[in-house]
Amino acid sequence: MGYPAVGSPRSRSLAACAVAVSGAALLTTALIGTPAVAAPGHGNREVVLELETHPTSHFQTPSGTSRAGTVIGGVGGLTRSVDGRDEAYGFDRWQCTYLEVTTDGSRRVMQCQSTLDTPDGEITLQGAWTELGAPPQVSRDAVTGGTDAFRGVRGYAQYTLLNPGDPANARYHISVHLDGARRS
């Protein structure tokens, strides 16, 4: 099968398709700016955000219980260090559902979702956490999506507990490792 004759309906159709694809590529580049970086090992770098949570409000439904089906959540501020100074960098909004709670409450397993709402866009996270009498010292969540500068990202967030002596007001350092994020 050869190339369609110039000026034929099929050649005009192919030309229109090529223009549409080229236009879409230009529009996409114009909308998102610099192309996103690829995964490490593919010639590009990983972006790591170092953040800290500062809890401001919590809820528990039903109130005062710790059994399977209980939902807990909260909102907190986020900071990041820039040139040795902490600066506000949005909010951490989270919600967890207890999946399993031992009768003595010494082990609780929960499924958690959170959104890091930053000036550069949102990052959504999800993971299972296991508490053994207190919040975990270290936990990891998968990055499940993002908006704006974080659109199309993949990666994970590692949470490290900063104040183990105050479980009701747990503060975390979060290292968010992103592949595919644009540098801001």
Side-chain angles (χ1 to χ4, degrees), residues 1-18:
M1 182 167 148
Y3 294 103
V6 175
S8 72
R10 183 166 176 185
S11 73
R12 285 192 302 271
S13 177
L14 289 172
C17 183

Side-chain angles (χ1 to χ4, degrees), residues 5 30 44 48 53 58 93 95 117 121 123-124 132 155 160 164 183:
N44 292 311
V48 179
T53 64
H58 292 93
R93 295 175 171 97
Q95 179 174 312
D117 185 2
I123 302 168
T124 56
L132 300 173
T160 304
R183 294 198 179 273

Side-chain angles (χ1 to χ4, degrees), residues 3-56:
Y3 294 103
V6 175
S8 72
R10 183 166 176 185
S11 73
R12 285 192 302 271
S13 177
L14 289 172
C17 183
V19 168
V21 169
S22 296
L26 287 173
L27 178 60
T28 300
T29 301
L31 290 174
I32 67 170
T34 309
V37 296
H42 294 241
N44 292 311
R45 297 173 297 230
E46 170 184 62
V47 173
V48 179
L49 297 174
E50 301 292 344
L51 307 173
E52 189 173 308
T53 64
H54 303 277
T56 57

Side-chain angles (χ1 to χ4, degrees), residues 53-55 58 94 129 135-136 161-164 166-172:
T53 64
H54 303 277
H58 292 93
W94 59 276
W129 290 40
L161 185 62
L162 296 174
N163 60 338
D166 189 8
N169 296 299
R171 287 184 29 240
Y172 288 90

Side-chain angles (χ1 to χ4, degrees), residues 5 9 16 26 31 55 59 64 73 77 81 83 94 97 102 104 107 111 122 125 138 149-150 155 157 163 169 181:
L26 287 173
L31 290 174
F59 72 88
S81 182
D83 298 327
W94 59 276
T97 302
T102 58
D104 64 358
R107 181 174 187 271
Q111 182 68 37
E122 293 182 348
L125 306 167
V138 176
F150 306 115
N163 60 338
N169 296 299

Side-chain angles (χ1 to χ4, degrees), residues 69-138:
T70 299
V71 177
I72 61 172
V75 174
L78 288 173
T79 58
R80 69 177 179 172
S81 182
V82 176
D83 298 327
R85 293 178 292 115
D86 284 345
E87 72 174 23
Y89 191 64
F91 298 92
D92 174 28
R93 295 175 171 97
W94 59 276
Q95 179 174 312
C96 300
T97 302
Y98 287 119
L99 303 176
E100 174 190 343
V101 178
T102 58
T103 54
D104 64 358
S106 63
R107 181 174 187 271
R108 298 184 293 192
V109 177
M110 62 189 105
Q111 182 68 37
C112 299
Q113 298 84 34
S114 63
T115 300
L116 305 178
D117 185 2
T118 79
D120 298 319
E122 293 182 348
I123 302 168
T124 56
L125 306 167
Q126 182 173 343
W129 290 40
T130 300
E131 293 183 343
L132 300 173
Q137 295 292 316
V138 176

